[in-house]
Amino acid sequence: MTDVLDLWFDPSRCLINGNWVAPAGGRHLPLHNPSTGERIGSIARGAAEDVDAAVAAAHVAWQGTWGKTTAVERGRLLLKLRELVLEKVEDLARIEAIDVGKPLKQARADAIALARYLEFYGGAADKLHGDTIPYLDGYTVYTLREPHGVTGHIVPWNYPMQIIGRSVGAALATGNACVLKPAEDACLTALAFADLAVKAGLPAGALNVVPGLGAEAGAALSAHPGVHHVSFTGSVATGAQVQTAAARNVVPVTLELGGKSPQLVFADADLDAALPFLVNAGIQNAGQTCSASSRILVHRSIQDRLVQRMAERYTALKVGPALADLDVGPLISARQQGIVSSFLDRGDDLEKVAEGSFQDAPEGGSYVRPTLFAGVSPSHTLARDEIFGPVQVVIPFDDEDEAVAIANGTDYGLVASIWSRDGARQLRLARKIRSGQIFINNYGAGGGVELPFGGIGKSGHGREKGFEALYGFTTLKTVAAYHG
Ligand code: NAD
């Protein structure tokens, strides 16, 4: 397989009001293949002027054709789009693998998940409704679930297809008109998705895409007074900036940020069942997953056994180009490689128990070896800070209270899991651990399409995925009618 991109759309344009247009400033950004470091093309460098045009188009759509489209028709359009995505699964997977560096099977899973989001939200579109509320004599009171209007979607590079599926899918299902700002490092599948949306028959302006830099197109979108809701997925620092910008317009924001998600392994755990989850949740997408499990908390009595078995798996991990479809691909960029390498350097004082190996990894690619550290103190930087690379630390605990204290001891709270056969402990800890999702004897790394997802603390606020997202992308209107 060669690394040549075979695109059926023009990646150097923005989609605004149903038309593929050059960015107003005529500028572009280079695209690189993280598996080789080679330049593979360029994308539009959209900026404020393009965002203005996209928001204006979205307004017209929301007030016009798209706003008048019934819920069942919106659902059918999303289901049609799903079909088109499924027809293109292999193309989408290949594009994503080359653009983002994720092994082909992981990119394929993302494309299939995108289709599944469209199925879920397409099917849900006509099942969301308000209530009638008992009130005073002579009144009929009911609530209407209405779209916010124009929604802004700022998406990171690590799971473009999945994040577009969960946020744009839910926003369109509820009748919002969307402006999508994909990440500058990974926007090809966003453009492919938009092309398929046009082909599916989505009215002009219902979905607009403006690629570009975060500080330009992203900042313009989050500060735009014509946007009624912002869905942001990315880093804590940028999320705070987006929320600040939106607050000036008093616009609600959903923030899906980072994590330092723990898996708690008790002495009575089924280790055979746990092991694949313990390791995969740390190295999937080269650890560049918000819900990566980067901390393994283990009861001291089984620490040696667990570390030895995890080490066996780490030693077998192969790292190489995305299209070679190994266990781990490159990181997204040389910059990210630098960040992760500097964390690894700060682990010099730790017990490094195992690492994976390179297999035909090209010199120019941004590779790091998956690395497992054991016996780590919860206060160590590798145990507290989000690394966003294939690095896991094993932290011992002596009892349940200490396990909970360590689990809750970071700024984050996105996902956690409990490995134990003790049912009472499972339920007790599911309450005590501060986290948006808890898995018991499994680890979903964000979980399925159906499961509400989001964080507490610095992991963010608001929920996407599942039916819950439909509430987030709508506003509730109360109508109180006096009729005597
Ligand atoms: P990032 O914050 O740098 O970028 C995310 C998006 O924000 C990109 O599209 C970028 O262009 C845009 N952006 C950058 N500066 C901006 C600004 N000033 N105003 C508006 N938009 C701006 O994050 P990243 O490095 O791309 O992604 C990694 C981070 O995202 C990690 O911390 C990870 O945990 C988090 N993440 C969270 C989830 C989740 O669902 N909770 C999912 C994926 C990634």
Side-chain angles (χ1 to χ4, degrees), residues 372-464:
L372 179 68
F373 294 98
V376 179
S377 154
S379 60
H380 195 282
T381 178
L382 266 66
R384 302 189 67 81
D385 298 331
E386 187 183 46
I387 299 172
F388 231 52
V391 182
Q392 286 180 300
V393 295
V394 178
I395 306 171
F397 63 81
D398 288 306
D399 59 36
E400 198 178 290
D401 285 346
E402 190 188 6
V404 172
I406 297 171
N408 290 343
T410 73
D411 293 340
Y412 298 103
L414 195 55
V415 177
S417 82
I418 300 155
W419 292 93
S420 169
R421 290 186 169 95
D422 179 339
R425 172 185 284 146
Q426 294 165 4
L427 299 181
R428 202 163 46 237
L429 266 57
R431 283 186 182 265
K432 286 187 177 176
I433 295 172
R434 285 172 47 77
S435 180
Q437 286 188 330
I438 303 273
F439 290 92
I440 296 171
N441 290 332
N442 71 109
Y443 190 89
V449 166
E450 305 84 351
L451 310 186
F453 176 65
I456 57 172
K458 292 230 167 81
S459 291
H461 52 74
R463 295 290 177 266
E464 291 190 346

Side-chain angles (χ1 to χ4, degrees), residues 233-268:
T233 305
S235 61
V236 176
T238 310
Q241 285 180 25
V242 167
Q243 182 162 344
T244 303
R248 295 201 178 95
N249 299 318
V250 197
V251 163
V253 176
T254 301
L255 294 182
E256 301 276 8
L257 309 178
K260 194 70 189 173
S261 298
Q263 300 199 60
L264 283 62
V265 190
F266 287 86
D268 64 346

